[in-house]
Each structure stands twice: as structure tokens, then as C-alpha cells.
Amino acid sequence: MTDYKREIDLATLWPTVVAEAEAAARAFPMLADFYRRNIIQHDGFAGALAFVLAEKLLDRDAGGAAEQAEQLKQWRKYLAAQMALDPAIEAAAMRDLLCQLQSNASIKDHYTPLLHFASYQALQCHRIAHHCWHSGQRAMASYIQGRVVSLFGVDIHPGAKVGSGIFIDHAVGVVVGETAVIEDNVTLFQNVTLGGTGKGSGDRHPKLREGSFVGSGAVIFGNIEIGAGAKVAGGAVVINDIPAGTTVVGPKGRVLNNRD
């Protein structure tokens, strides 16, 4: 497998996904309907994303096959409508996908995150929930958040602000509080917590500035700032601001200087 995917851009991403899905469907007839339903039948990326997320969010305990089919149809229509109302959702989702392809050497095609990665799907569910939270649909936002916790083990409050080009690897155990801010091009690994300090209200969660990195198991508490390009090593506990471009290690969040 060549690494041509690393040179792909947003303009050619969706046509490439479709072409690869068609090739996979021909190569594996047992999966042909899966690729058709999730990718090939859709006119664009937004339609495919709405379908993939709809299948995750519907209540599979409600009714029989006919009821399930109708519920899936309603979810698809609803999710597509929310993305049409807020085009930034689709744009961010595409940049997230491109980021996955550029950052994860284990991916051998262009559609795997969309179809199979819990981290990617959970993040896109959050984008819908965030839109709902700020558009008078808080019951729906809370439902989506709860489904994401049950399905993926990822708990991102609908109020949290998340930029684009986000790479969440594995994602299981990720917790992000209501007033947290994650700017563009941030990387998070599994079991990361962006939590509060017990303050009942107000701005009480971390702010991760552009290009920062948080390793697996790191815990960041309070309304503090992780500066642009800063790195928080796995297992670190951080309760104070971290300057841009620095690295933090250890259970007490020790900042390394350039010599270190």
C-alpha cells in the first residue's frame, strides 16, 4: 500500500472514498450491501455521515423490523437537516477524517474511520449534539450524549466546544466537561479527562489550544490553559496552565525545559 492517501485533499476525499467502497464491494460480495448502504448510495459525504450516525443512534429495542426501518429513516432525515442548518458540522467532520488519514499509519484506505472507528463516530455525534444544545434542542443533545457513552465509552458534554482536524485515537474513556474548549488540530488519546474541580457553575474546564497533544490516561483539571503546541504526556496530572510549546510529564505534571 502506497501512502498516496497522505496527499489527498478535501476536494478529492469523498470521490476517493466512493471509489474504494465500490472496489471493496466487488472484492467482497458478502459486504456489498454494507458498502452500498453506508457509502455508495449517497450523493455526498453528509448523506453518508447521516446514515452511519443514524444506525448508531436509533433505539434498537423499540419495535420490530418495520418500526426500526422507519426510525432509521427519521434519524437520517433529522441528522441531515441539522447538518444543513449548520454546514460547519460537515466541514469539520471532513477535516477530522482527513486528519485521521494523515495521522494514523494503520489506516490502509480512506473510509475506515467513517465506517469503523468509534473515536471518529463519537466525535461526529458530539458535533450534532453541540448544535442541538445551542439551538433549543437540549433533550435531543442529552439523548445523543447518553447514546455515545453507552456505545463508545466516550463522554463529551454537548456544551463543550470542539474545533476541527481533531484526532482522537481509540477514545475509550475520554471525558470532556461542559465548558471545555478543544481548538483545531488537537490530538487526544484514550482515557483522557478534561474535568472540573468541583466548582458548581461557571467556566470550570480546561482549554486546549491549537495543535496541543494529550497522551493516554492524562488528567487535566479546572479552567486552565494548555498552550498551543504543548504536549501532555500519558498519565500526567495537570492543574495549572501549561505554556505554549512545552511538554508536561509525570503524576504531578512537571514541565520539561528545552534541555530536558
Side-chain angles (χ1 to χ4, degrees), residues 16-36:
T16 301
V17 166
V18 174
E20 290 182 349
E22 291 173 338
R26 290 191 297 269
F28 302 97
M30 289 178 62
L31 299 178
D33 185 61
F34 171 78
Y35 285 106
R36 180 193 62 79

Side-chain angles (χ1 to χ4, degrees), residues 148-203:
V148 169
V149 174
S150 298
L151 289 167
F152 306 122
V154 176
D155 191 355
I156 306 176
H157 191 282
K161 298 177 182 178
V162 180
S164 64
I166 305 300
F167 180 39
I168 304 180
D169 201 12
H170 303 298
V172 175
V174 168
V175 177
V176 179
E178 178 185 8
T179 62
V181 174
I182 301 173
E183 293 187 349
D184 295 345
N185 305 313
V186 168
T187 296
L188 302 177
F189 277 74
Q190 66 270 23
N191 295 316
V192 164
T193 297
L194 306 183
T197 56
K199 182 180 178 181
S201 62
D203 200 350

Side-chain angles (χ1 to χ4, degrees), residues 85-96:
L85 288 170
D86 187 357
I89 296 173
E90 179 186 2
M94 290 197 73
R95 286 193 287 269
D96 294 340

Side-chain angles (χ1 to χ4, degrees), residues 5 12 40 54 58 69 72 78 82 87 133 163 177 183 204 221 247:
K5 67 180 182 180
T12 56
I40 299 169
L58 64 84
L72 178 61
Y78 175 79
Q82 304 316 301
W133 187 258
E183 293 187 349
R204 59 196 187 279
F221 287 128
T247 299

